[in-house]
Every structure is written in C-alpha cells, then in structure tokens.
Amino acid sequence: MSAPRRVLIAGGGIAGWTVASTFRDRGFDGEIVIVEREAACYDRPPLSKTVLVDGAPLSSLAFAAPEALAQASIEVHAGRTVVALDAAARTLRLDDGALLAGDVIVLATGTAARPAAFPGSTLPGVLSLQTYADARALHALKGRRIAVVGAGLIGAEATAALRTAGSEVTLIDPSAVPGTRAFGPTMAAHLHAMHGAAGVDCRRDTVAGVVPTGGALRVDLTGGDAVEVDGVLVATGVVTDPIVARESGLDVDDGIVVQDSGLTSAPGIYAVGDVARRWKNGVLRPGSGHWDAARADGQDVADAILGLPPAGRGADWFWSDRYGHHVEVVGALAGTAREVVRPGLHPTVFVVDGDRLVRAVSVDDPLAVRAARRLIDRRTPVVADQLVDPAVPVRSLLPHA
Ligand SMILES: Cc1cc2nc3c(=O)[nH]c(=O)nc-3n(C[C@H](O)[C@H](O)[C@H](O)COP(=O)(O)OP(=O)(O)OC[C@H]3O[C@@H](n4cnc5c(N)ncnc54)[C@H](O)[C@@H]3O)c2cc1C
C-alpha cells in the first residue's frame, strides 16, 4: 500500500498517541487526526498513583499541550466519541454526527473497567478507576474510609496511594496471595505484605453486596463480616468490548483480532494497544494490559503502515508502584521455568528455564532490571548460584561486563 495522506486514530491513550507521534517522528507530513472521548489525550498509569495522592491536574497527564499539538499538526477531536466505523468507506462517525474519512484508520480504544456483579454496585460512591474523573472522585475521598475490591495491579496500587494519602483502607480479595500471576509467588507475597505493614485491613474474602446506610456504605462480605466505608473502589480487572469494530463487521474476539502488523480483517483498518489481540503459537493472546507494550505496539503499527521494519522490542517490561517503592518486571514466564531468589531488603526474583534467564522482578533496582533485560534478550547462559548471590552485581553476568 502507498503511504497514506490522512490517518484517523480512534482513542488517544498511549497506543493511539504513539501511532501519531511515530508518524511525525518518521517525517510523515500528511494529516493526523485523533478522536478521543476524554477531554485530552492523556496517560493512565498516574491515575492510580499521583492523582490519588495529590489530585494532580489533567494537564500534567496529557501527552502534549495544545501548542505542541498545533506545532506537530496533530488534530485532536477531544471530548468526542467514535460511535461507528464504516470499514469499506474508511470513515468514522462521531457522537456529534460528524463523519471523518481517512486513508488509514487505527483503532486504539483500550479497555474498560470490568463492571462489578454484586448487588449495590451501581450505588453512588461505588467507583472504578479507568479515567481521570474516576481518579478525582477517589481523591475526593482522601482521608476517609474506602474499601478496595480486588488486589490486582490497579487495586493494589490504589490501595497503596489511598493509604499514603491518609485513608483507612480495607482491601478485599479472595486469593491467598494476590498478584501471583503478575509477579510470581515470592514477589507477590512480599508486595502484598506491604499493605498489612502500612495498616491496611486485608480481607481474604469476596463482596456479597453493598448497602447504603445513612450517608455511608456497608460492604457485606461473603464470609459473613461487614465493613462500613465512605466509598468503594471496584478493581476486578478490565474488559474489552470493541463495540465499534464488532458492529462494523471486523473480526473480534474479546478484542480486535489483528495480524502481526496490526492490520485487522479489513484493509486499511488497524488496531493497536490493549484492544488488539494477536495469534501466537496457535493461541489468540489478549492485549498485554501494560503501558510499554501498548507504546511499542503503537510504534510498530505506525512503522508497518509506513512500510518500515519494526524497531525491535526486547523482552516485555512493566512496572508498578507501592508505598514509594518501584517494582519492575522484565521478561515472560516459560513452561518449565523456576524461581531463584536473591535475598535483600526486598527480594529480587529471577525466573530461569534451564540455563536461561526468562524473567526478573525487582524492587527499587533499575540497574538489575536493565542488566536482566539484556541477559534475556541475548539469551546469555546464567548460573543460578550467581543470580542469588547479593555480592554479584547482575550487570557483571553480562559478557564483557
Ligand atoms: C489506573 C491505571 C494504572 C495503570 N498503571 C500501570 C502501570 O503502573 N504500569 C503499566 O505497565 N501499565 C499500567 N496501566 C496499564 C496501561 O496504562 C495500559 O495498558 C495502557 O494505557 C493501554 O494503552 P491503550 O492506548 O491501548 O489504551 P488506553 O490507555 O486505555 O487508551 C484508550 C483511549 O481510547 C479512548 N476511547 C475509548 N473508546 C473510544 C471511542 N469510542 N471514541 C473515542 N475515544 C475512545 C479512551 O478514552 C482512552 O483514552 C495502568 C492502567 C490504569 C487504568
């Protein structure tokens, strides 16, 4: 396909924004138009961190100020929702009736918070955390009593931020060790213990329902207890229902199914970031749910559209912040892998498969993570005894270090 002259992007999160900025970085001088439902194109991770603690303004989360957008000639229809896609005509219909046409359309609409299934989940004060408005609503409860339902990445981060901001937090999750899938058993246990140490009331339970009680909310737990709070955050995961793509006849399956290049089942229509799903080893993989993967996806898809080779990613990487600590995970789990643990104030967990490092998880140790990423990418043989030895810098395990 020849280079497009006009690119339409639905969704201005990190994936959609990276598509736009990569086009410009590569010297593309055609038109770029982003349609974003929110008031600006902005980043999600600070929503469960700084915004909850200090109520940071939306402008501090935005990818670019209005002047920078104008300078880069990126047209943003903020506060507008894409309601229909005509894949054959390559048009997007917006909620104000406007019809936008492009040579190429990129769908970057991300995910939505999974709605709670328990009675009372639609009461005022029962919140989710996906948008800036959600984060501000939670920030407004600073210092008060909050129940957080779900101790996954967003629930655990929000718990830490709300507790740091002085709230009384009850964290409810049925798992013995929440976060095991993301961090592995050792690090998940270490991170979960931080909540109790910070004075969070951790309950291994599920919510039976929420009932209003004279200005407050009573959270009834399945185990029989009840907790009275001023607000409830439901953080039980995300869902992908790319309604616009589905209704326009694209191949969808809990996300938009794309080829490696990001191309959907319709010519000229691409999907990127958390909304996109790719086949890998015969399995349809969900979107990663992590920031860096969505960013890299945006870059690769822009390059693919421009006919350029992918920049090359290296091992997957994500981070999470808790009580002033920065947790980083690099690599992926492999079938026969085992954990080896370097002791310390915080453990560093290495996952090895034979003599290969496949994953590393550390707290407040970016140098170790960077070195581990290189060991993984280069497939450098490693020795478990060296990995677990706090006296051996991870960097020294690299050839020619
Ligand atoms: C609170 C929170 C904290 C997070 N913290 C971390 C973290 O610490 N580390 C990490 O690695 N990852 C984190 N993530 C995950 C990471 O932010 C996501 O993986 C990433 O944002 C996905 O990028 P995306 O562009 O695909 O989707 P999104 O960032 O969700 O962007 C999608 C955009 O599309 C817009 N949109 C949706 N539908 C329409 C429509 N019909 N019309 C117009 N616009 C539409 C949305 O408003 C949104 O701006 C966090 C996510 C959240 C919600």
Side-chain angles (χ1 to χ4, degrees), residues 89-129:
R90 294 190 197 166
T91 58
L92 293 176
R93 169 89 55 196
L94 310 195
D95 55 350
D96 62 354
L99 189 68
L100 306 179
D103 304 318
V104 158
I105 294 179
V106 182
L107 303 172
T109 47
T111 54
R114 183 187 301 284
F118 48 76
S121 61
T122 55
L123 286 168
V126 181
L127 308 163
S128 55
L129 181 49

Side-chain angles (χ1 to χ4, degrees), residues 11-16 35-38 44-45 47-49 80-82 108-111 129-130 154 157 272-275 289-292 294 318-320:
I14 182 62
V35 184
E36 170 51 53
R37 183 169 58 189
E38 296 281 308
R44 261 53 190 177
L47 298 180
S48 50
K49 305 174 182 71
R80 292 267 74 92
T81 299
V82 172
T109 47
T111 54
L129 181 49
Q130 191 78 22
I154 292 178
E157 281 202 344
V272 283
D274 281 359
V275 77
H290 299 307
W291 184 93
D292 191 54
F318 71 91
W319 83 98
S320 180

Side-chain angles (χ1 to χ4, degrees), residues 129-380:
L129 181 49
Q130 191 78 22
T131 66
Y132 182 72
D134 294 337
R136 287 304 297 240
L138 277 162
H139 174 68
L141 290 168
K142 187 173 165 167
R144 301 177 67 194
R145 301 165 302 173
I146 301 174
V148 177
V149 184
L153 279 178
I154 292 178
E157 281 202 344
T159 294
L162 291 164
R163 183 71 195 126
T164 302
S167 296
E168 245 177 70
V169 187
T170 306
L171 178 59
I172 303 156
D173 193 292
S175 321
V177 184
T180 300
R181 203 155 48 94
F183 299 110
T186 306
M187 186 60 85
H190 179 73
L191 296 176
H192 192 60
M194 287 182 180
H195 297 303
V200 171
D201 179 7
C202 295
R203 303 292 186 103
R204 187 175 173 193
D205 214 328
T206 54
V207 174
V210 178
V211 184
T213 52
L217 295 168
R218 193 188 71 227
V219 181
D220 292 332
L221 303 180
T222 317
D225 284 353
V227 188
E228 193 176 274
V229 293
D230 304 300
V232 178
L233 167 60
V234 179
T236 49
V238 294
V239 288
T240 314
D241 182 13
I243 189 164
V244 164
R246 182 161 45 81
E247 289 179 353
S248 75
L250 298 189
D251 187 5
V252 301
D253 184 344
D254 265 345
I256 305 173
V257 181
V258 297
Q259 302 175 12
D260 282 347
S261 64
L263 185 65
T264 67
S265 53
I269 315 292
Y270 292 77
V272 283
D274 281 359
V275 77
R277 299 191 70 182
R278 288 180 172 76
W279 289 97
K280 197 171 174 192
N281 302 328
V283 179
L284 192 56
R285 315 289 303 180
S288 82
H290 299 307
W291 184 93
D292 191 54
R295 180 202 58 76
D297 205 21
Q299 194 173 8
D300 287 354
V301 168
D303 282 339
I305 295 170
L306 290 167
L308 299 170
R313 294 190 182 200
D316 288 346
W317 167 83
F318 71 91
W319 83 98
S320 180
D321 292 344
R322 311 282 164 89
Y323 304 101
H325 299 292
H326 188 61
V327 190
E328 291 180 81
V329 180
V330 64
L333 288 176
T336 54
R338 69 188 172 99
E339 280 194 346
V340 297
V341 180
R342 173 178 293 219
L345 179 60
H346 303 287
T348 301
V349 179
F350 299 97
V351 182
V352 291
D353 188 14
D355 66 354
R356 299 279 187 257
L357 181 65
V358 294
R359 201 171 203 237
V361 190
S362 83
V363 181
D364 298 335
D365 195 351
L367 290 181
V369 171
R370 205 175 309 157
R373 190 174 203 173
R374 284 159 71 191
L375 290 168
I376 295 168
D377 288 346
R378 296 177 187 181
R379 299 181 56 75
T380 306

